[in-house]
Amino acid sequence: MYLPHYLKINLNNQTVVPFPIDEAMFSQYLGGKILGAKLLYDLLPAGLDPLSPDAVLIVNTGPMNGTGAPSSSRFNMTFKNVLTGGIASSNCGGQFGVMLKRAGVDGLIITGRSEKPVTIAIVDGEVTFTDATALWGLDTEAVQTHFHKQYGKLVIGPAGENGVHYACAVSGERVAGRGGAGALMGSKRIKALVAFGTKKQPIYNKPAFDRYVKQWVHFLKSHPMTGRTLGRYGSAGLVNIANANNALPTHNFKRGHFEHADAISGETLAETLLVKNSGCISCPIRCERRVMVNDKEVKGPEYETVGLFGANIDNADLSWINAVNYEADILGLDTISLGGTIAFAMELQERGITDFGLSFGNTDGLLHVIRQIAHGKGRCAELGMGSKWLSEKYGVEWLPEEKGDYAIQVSILKDEVIVALDASGTGLHKRGYREIGTEAPMKETLAAGLLIISKWRPNIPLIDPFCGSGTIVIEAALMAQNIAPGLNRTFAFVDWEWIEDSLYKAERTAAYGAIRQEEEISIQGYDKDPKAIRVAKHNAEVAGVDEVIHLQVRDVEAFSTKAPFGSIICNPPYGERLNALSEAEALYRLMGRVFAPYTTWSKYILTSHEGFEALYGERATKNRKLYNGRIKTYFYQYFGKRRPSSEKGPNQ
């Protein structure tokens, strides 16, 4: 079995030792990212500062790297997230991962801190350390020119040197951006990691492997996203798609739709600014965009950069986004955290909390601010700490939303797509009274449906011997008193600025006026669980019907009533969620014996058990198939003997 070759580097004394990965670990944590996470968990002391000298940086490749398999040329950086303190996993293209593998090394585990800036070179498995003082201060583009063009390079820029918490590491023009990888390299005084080798990755049964690679390449090229959208427009082709789905971050994530989205889309980039396509080694998708910035051909922006430096700061200048993307890359700044932090600073200014000289829709001088952030100059050093740090300093844990939420619901069935504006917010089945529930509660709308199917009326006594959180009996009481569904809840549309508040208030006033007080209502709920009855009483009180429902701790075996006619409507345990199947079946037999004497009472029983009738001991008068959530159930209906017409009320 092939086992990866890892090296552990201690920068305190510039020592290098093999770090064995045994077969058991490799089998369980196959891959680069997951193995890196396991190693970090094992090697990093709990509670350690992410930028401590003892912090661990893991740079590794996956088993497929170097084989020519599609999209396998990437490498991973794993470390403690500088911004959040969690686990950071930053994945990157570029040439470094491939060359590290060709040098005969699958992964590096780096600890300690160098006294001086250092370059670490791995050439054909040998590791050397070189003083990088002369390179300190160079941007990521300039520093890479100091190494042979065949070398794989992983470097930092001024942002990493100056401890910007979201500084990135750069390989060629590819970026390991997330979590502060560049900040950690800077804290360890690593200016550059370079690798070179000629070793080929052995492949077991290469003919079979090549056939599978061919199939996989065909799949990627024929897929609508990887073969068409990404190839034609790059990841920026997602801008219009996200905008159409109300998911494009706009005005510091206040909205999901930007009216000028098409101006910054991948389609517009392809039509107006694209020089050519490119991509990572061994990747057939070719999603990289090549654009011109200051008469120089460079890598174009990805979707995240376009979104965060476009819609999220109210900017529709795509050429400027190209420029800021290039500037951030050579300074060694992650554009995602940088863009998010700048938008946050703009909102701080908008709300009058503090002013960094940044405002929405204004990009004048913003490139200068970004350079100041990278070099830790003046107040811009605060922006280099990230939005989480800023929120804590300025006491802004939450920036309140305004003018309501406009949620879009999208459903797709075969070739039919339905796009709907969600006016309710919380699902309509939630009436607003069930603040707490028991295990596996029935939806309020289903409970109301059972009452309607059973043709229950307020002058018919009702008992639910398995009432749980009280849903069926509460819905019955609401019907009896003509209390409108949802009168105890709110709706999303109430906060929409174009909805007249007076209309909603008038409808609520009318609903309150339509409530009637029935004099004779007999609604009872039983349950053997005292906790369930406490929950049901609380819910009934919130719904405002606690005075018309009698709730009691009672086992179904003790069922009794003196009323000559009435309805039993219940949802007993199915044996799927609450009790074992054998216990549920025993319960159904008991129900048949207990309810049998009440021949003038109608019984309506919801259960998923297809053999219920045999267990109950009687064939149902009628049976309806219903769904309780995702569970297919049957509503078994046993009609009681007809009530004499002289005893019927006006509703019967």
Side-chain angles (χ1 to χ4, degrees):
M1 179 181 182
Y2 168 82
L3 292 177
H5 178 49
Y6 275 61
L7 298 176
K8 186 174 183 181
I9 299 173
N10 188 332
L11 290 172
N12 292 331
N13 51 20
Q14 294 190 351
T15 57
V16 182
V17 295
F19 188 92
I21 305 293
D22 60 34
E23 184 174 338
M25 175 178 282
F26 189 56
S27 298
Q28 189 172 2
Y29 301 99
L30 182 65
K33 182 176 292 190
I34 187 64
L35 182 56
K38 168 60 175 173
L39 291 171
L40 185 72
Y41 179 82
D42 289 344
L43 298 173
L44 187 72
L48 194 69
D49 186 290
L51 297 178
S52 163
D54 295 326
V56 177
L57 171 62
I58 299 167
V59 185
N60 65 350
T61 63
M64 303 294 283
N65 192 300
T67 64
S71 308
S72 64
S73 64
R74 308 183 70 84
F75 65 95
N76 207 72
M77 301 182 74
T78 308
F79 50 96
K80 190 169 186 177
N81 194 309
V82 179
L83 290 160
T84 67
I87 294 178
S89 179
S90 192
N91 201 265
C92 187
Q95 200 175 4
F96 179 77
V98 172
M99 280 301 170
L100 183 66
K101 192 87 165 188
R102 289 181 183 175
V105 178
D106 294 90
L108 304 172
I109 300 170
I110 304 173
T111 62
R113 174 179 292 166
S114 177
E115 291 183 5
K116 297 179 180 180
V118 65
T119 293
I120 304 174
I122 306 98
V123 178
D124 288 327
E126 295 296 323
V127 179
T128 57
F129 302 88
T130 306
D131 189 336
T133 302
L135 303 179
W136 203 253
L138 295 181
D139 64 43
T140 63
E141 186 177 68
V143 71
Q144 292 188 78
T145 64
H146 284 261
F147 304 100
H148 196 284
K149 64 180 181 179
Q150 290 186 317
Y151 278 32
K153 306 138 194 171
L154 181 62
V155 305
I156 63 170
E161 297 171 0
N162 291 296
V164 175
H165 279 193
Y166 46 83
C168 62
V170 178
S171 177
E173 292 180 275
R174 298 290 171 172
V175 172
R178 310 302 290 138
L184 180 55
M185 284 181 65
S187 75
K188 292 185 174 300
R189 307 287 193 270
I190 304 171
K191 182 61 178 178
L193 282 164
V194 297
F196 178 77
T198 56
K199 184 177 181 180
K200 291 185 178 181
Q201 177 74 354
I203 298 174
Y204 178 78
N205 195 348
K206 193 172 187 306
F209 180 80
D210 289 342
R211 287 194 298 271
Y212 188 77
V213 166
K214 186 176 180 179
Q215 294 173 11
W216 188 234
V217 169
H218 175 74
F219 172 80
L220 291 173
K221 287 186 174 181
S222 60
H223 191 277
M225 179 58 71
T226 55
R228 185 168 61 248
T229 300
L230 290 177
R232 290 179 182 176
Y233 310 119
S235 63
L238 299 172
V239 168
N240 279 331
I241 296 172
N243 199 54
N245 287 281
N246 208 41
L248 182 66
T250 304
H251 203 86
N252 195 28
F253 289 86
K254 283 293 181 294
R255 300 185 298 276
H257 187 272
F258 184 48
E259 60 181 339
H260 305 297
D262 189 60
I264 58 173
S265 67
E267 291 86 340
T268 297
L269 190 152
E271 292 169 2
T272 62
L273 299 173
L274 181 67
V275 175
K276 63 181 180 182
N277 292 3
S278 187
C280 293
I281 302 170
S282 80
C283 181
I285 300 171
R286 317 308 288 169
C287 67
E288 180 186 331
R289 311 290 91 184
R290 304 297 298 177
V291 299
M292 300 299 294
V293 173
N294 299 329
D295 298 324
K296 183 176 185 177
E297 184 186 311
V298 300
K299 178 180 66 68
E302 303 289 344
Y303 162 76
E304 296 85 352
T305 306
V306 173
L308 289 163
F309 278 103
N312 209 41
I313 63 170
D314 292 356
N315 166 56
D317 186 341
L318 187 55
S319 293
W320 183 87
I321 295 173
N322 287 343
V324 79
N325 178 68
Y326 173 65
E327 192 74 24
D329 283 356
I330 65 172
L331 291 170
L333 289 164
D334 170 32
T335 55
I336 297 177
S337 291
L338 175 64
T341 301
I342 286 173
F344 183 81
M346 288 177 174
E347 183 155 354
L348 291 177
Q349 183 272 341
E350 183 177 72
R351 294 185 176 277
I353 296 171
T354 190
D355 191 353
F356 287 94
L358 302 173
S359 59
F360 288 107
N362 181 15
T363 59
D364 292 343
L366 190 48
L367 282 174
H368 173 71
V369 170
I370 290 171
R371 295 183 189 110
Q372 294 290 95
I373 292 172
H375 289 92
K377 301 291 186 180
R379 285 200 72 200
C380 290
E382 289 189 2
L383 297 177
M385 305 298 286
S387 54
K388 180 177 182 290
W389 184 92
L390 287 171
S391 70
E392 293 169 351
K393 174 171 181 177
Y394 292 101
V396 185
E397 294 185 1
W398 181 258
L399 295 172
E401 300 285 344
E402 294 177 345
K403 301 180 181 178
D405 292 329
Y406 294 84
I408 303 296
Q409 300 289 343
V410 180
S411 61
I412 302 175
L413 180 61
K414 295 183 179 179
D415 60 348
E416 182 176 318
V417 179
I418 298 175
V419 181
L421 181 62
D422 183 1
S424 63
T426 305
L428 287 173
H429 70 278
K430 295 187 177 181
R431 314 287 210 196
Y433 62 77
R434 199 165 68 186
E435 296 180 346
I436 51 177
T438 54
E439 187 177 358
M442 174 186 290
K443 286 185 177 181
E444 296 92 315
T445 45
L446 177 59
L450 299 183
L451 291 163
I452 293 170
I453 291 173
S454 67
K455 298 182 179 180
W456 177 81
R457 297 293 182 269
N459 59 349
I460 301 175
L462 169 66
I463 298 176
D464 178 0
F466 306 96
C467 73
S469 57
T471 309
I472 291 176
V473 292
I474 292 173
E475 286 295 320
L478 292 174
M479 286 183 179
Q481 297 193 308
N482 200 37
I483 298 175
L487 196 57
N488 292 303
R489 58 162 286 166
T490 58
F491 300 88
F493 73 83
V494 175
D495 295 324
W496 295 352
E497 58 181 346
W498 49 276
I499 297 290
E500 291 187 27
D501 189 51
S502 59
L503 294 176
Y504 177 65
K505 289 181 178 179
E507 288 300 317
R508 286 187 66 87
T509 300
Y512 278 114
I515 295 175
R516 59 174 180 259
Q517 301 294 327
E518 293 284 350
E519 293 185 359
E520 295 184 4
I521 303 176
S522 177
I523 301 176
Q524 301 177 58
Y526 305 147
D527 202 288
K528 68 177 183 179
D529 183 1
K531 179 183 176 181
I533 293 300
R534 289 196 298 271
V535 169
K537 286 182 177 179
H538 173 83
N539 292 339
E541 184 177 351
V542 173
V545 294
D546 53 308
E547 294 185 1
V548 298
I549 301 175
H550 175 71
L551 295 163
Q552 181 181 355
V553 177
R554 180 188 291 190
D555 194 291
V556 67
E557 192 170 6
F559 178 90
S560 65
T561 178
K562 295 181 180 180
F565 296 92
S567 292
I568 298 170
I569 304 177
C570 61
N571 177 39
Y574 298 168
E576 296 187 29
R577 295 180 292 176
L578 296 179
N579 296 312
L581 182 60
S582 59
E583 294 177 351
E585 291 178 343
L587 177 64
Y588 299 155
R589 295 187 185 95
L590 174 63
M591 289 168 60
R593 296 193 299 271
V594 170
F595 295 161
Y598 300 93
T599 57
T600 56
W601 276 65
S602 294
K603 299 97 177 177
Y604 303 91
I605 303 162
L606 185 74
T607 176
S608 63
H609 201 303
E610 295 184 357
F612 173 81
E613 291 168 304
L615 296 165
Y616 185 78
E618 183 181 353
R619 187 175 181 82
T621 311
K622 197 172 182 180
N623 182 11
R624 292 281 295 272
K625 183 171 72 174
L626 300 171
Y627 278 86
N628 186 1
R630 294 180 179 271
I631 301 175
K632 183 173 71 173
T633 61
Y634 302 90
F635 193 41
Y636 296 98
Q637 303 168 60
Y638 297 86
F639 298 159
K641 292 181 180 179
R642 289 184 175 274
R643 190 174 184 179
S645 57
S646 59
E647 298 182 19
K648 292 183 180 180
N651 295 325
Q652 292 183 288

